[in-house]
Amino acid sequence: MNFHANVREGRLLSNRGRHGAIVEFDGVSKLYGPVQALRPTSLRIEAGEFFAIIGPSGSGKSTLLGIIAGFVSPTSGSIEVDGKDIVSFPPYHRNFGMVFQNYALFPHMTVAQNVAFPLRMRKLPKAEIAEKVDRALAMVRLDGLGDRRPMELSGGQQQRVALARAAVYDPLLLLMDEPLGALDKNLREEMQEEIKRFQHALGATVIYVTHDQHEAAYMADRLAIMRGGAIEQIGSPRELYESPQTTFVASFLGEASILPVSHVTPLADGSVEATIEGGPKIRAAALSPGRAPRFLCVRPENMLLGAEAGQADNSFDGIVDDAVFTTGSVRYRLRLAGTDHMLTARIPSRPDVVLMQPGQAVRVGWHHREALLLEGRDA
Ligand SMILES: Nc1ncnc2c1ncn2[C@@H]1O[C@H](COP(=O)(O)OP(=O)(O)OP(=O)(O)O)[C@@H](O)[C@H]1O
Ligand SMILES: [Mg+2]
């Protein structure tokens, strides 16, 4: 059965009735010999959602995306897209748009021919192809560049051609694996905006793999943090940042001071008291019952120094280890006096602020509501 007969007979995933696709994983896993590239995973991605997947190298991000794309066949489980099991569909029948790090444009074709390629494969009438190509190029702001060849474009422009080509046939689902990995920071930021704008115009569901936590937090409605072939936590960027469930999530998304604690006791006001190992007692926000907290976690922007720390309900003597000026803020590493525990504080920098010096003593603290207790898991 060829591609066009499949289109005619409705065996392809249809993109009529414009809305993004719903993707459902049920117990999907992938083994490469003894390697658990993806542990059994169940997950639902909503129509029109921008869903990002982040995690360290080798954690299974590309495997998960490859299973949806059809490049990787799962060892177990089912994947449904809009209620239809897609596991038996070969990649080219899934009708998803795909953009990868090496955008793989056809070098001998012009920009317009590159973008037209998926439509020519689908044997659309010439006039319709021309119209859709124009629209797709306008959407990525490349109008007028249709006659150039990829090598006559900048990296960012080439990546836009890849986007236009992935989106030209209005897919319900766009899969992207590190699509901006090859671009420099400024261009990346520009393209992040572009992709978001573009997704709005298209209404597609996007599943987006990146190493870059800032990119993921900026772009995603929800994100999944993967570790060792499993999703460790899923939520909105804000949920994951403010309520990480594990030390791994807390330190992967943003920065955190993470200190081991013991002797956790509930207090009458709903907060808890705990002892930092080898150090003082502290207060922190309560943890949901049934969980066994082993670590304290404080975000650097919630760490207070000097007089401000003195006002907080947790405050201790600290010693400055180093101070680094970064754009807009100063990042201090401090040692909790009498211990080996290190804390990180980020303080907005103003022109009149004098940086503290290594070895300097300073009061350090935090409000207990801004300190989290986390379950143990190494990180
Ligand atoms: N074809 C393969 N054969 C054997 N092992 C594989 C294969 N593809 C991936 N793996 C292994 O599966 C695990 C997950 O790989 P995957 O490519 O999904 O990681 P990733 O999170 O995308 O990493 P990166 O950020 O480096 O791209 C790794 O341990 C990897 O070595
Ligand atoms: Mg990968």
Side-chain angles (χ1 to χ4, degrees), residues 112-159:
Q113 286 164 346
N114 264 280
V115 176
F117 186 78
L119 303 174
R120 291 215 333 263
M121 291 289 292
R122 288 168 170 75
K123 294 226 167 16
L124 261 65
K126 258 196 168 143
E128 196 179 335
I129 292 181
E131 187 199 315
K132 282 184 187 279
V133 168
D134 281 350
R135 194 162 53 90
L137 287 177
M139 196 146 60
V140 296
R141 298 193 241 199
L142 286 178
D143 345 36
L145 296 188
D147 292 333
R148 296 229 194 136
R149 288 185 200 278
M151 60 177 287
E152 296 163 343
L153 300 176
S154 72
Q157 289 170 332
Q158 289 181 40
Q159 190 56 293

Side-chain angles (χ1 to χ4, degrees), residues 57-58 60-63 177-178 209 211:
S57 186
K61 306 181 297 293
S62 296
T63 302
D177 195 344
E178 299 274 0
V209 168
H211 270 95

Side-chain angles (χ1 to χ4, degrees), residues 121-293:
M121 291 289 292
R122 288 168 170 75
K123 294 226 167 16
L124 261 65
K126 258 196 168 143
E128 196 179 335
I129 292 181
E131 187 199 315
K132 282 184 187 279
V133 168
D134 281 350
R135 194 162 53 90
L137 287 177
M139 196 146 60
V140 296
R141 298 193 241 199
L142 286 178
D143 345 36
L145 296 188
D147 292 333
R148 296 229 194 136
R149 288 185 200 278
M151 60 177 287
E152 296 163 343
L153 300 176
S154 72
Q157 289 170 332
Q158 289 181 40
Q159 190 56 293
R160 283 181 209 183
V161 178
L163 259 179
R165 189 178 59 181
V168 71
Y169 53 95
D170 294 339
L172 299 177
L173 180 60
L174 267 172
L175 306 175
M176 304 198 200
D177 195 344
E178 299 274 0
L180 308 182
L183 306 180
D184 68 36
K185 183 169 170 293
N186 288 343
L187 210 47
R188 272 182 94 103
E189 285 171 2
E190 208 176 290
M191 284 301 297
Q192 288 165 8
E193 302 248 359
E194 195 82 35
I195 290 173
K196 278 187 71 113
R197 213 174 43 77
F198 176 84
Q199 184 214 9
H200 272 276
L202 209 61
T205 304
V206 173
I207 307 179
Y208 190 99
V209 168
T210 176
H211 270 95
D212 183 338
Q213 47 146 320
H214 299 292
E215 182 167 297
Y218 173 68
M219 299 183 80
D221 298 313
R222 275 194 309 159
L223 55 110
I225 300 192
M226 292 194 71
R227 178 198 204 190
I231 294 178
E232 181 123 335
Q233 194 173 344
I234 295 184
S236 70
R238 187 164 182 188
E239 276 162 4
L240 294 195
Y241 188 76
E242 292 178 356
S243 311
Q245 300 287 310
T246 66
T247 53
F248 177 77
V249 171
S251 46
F252 198 83
L253 191 68
E255 242 190 321
S257 304
I258 294 173
L259 272 55
V261 296
S262 56
H263 301 101
V264 180
T265 330
L267 299 180
D269 69 353
S271 68
V272 293
E273 190 179 73
T275 307
I276 292 179
E277 268 175 29
K281 282 195 170 143
I282 53 110
R283 274 181 69 205
L287 198 79
S288 23
R291 295 179 46 206

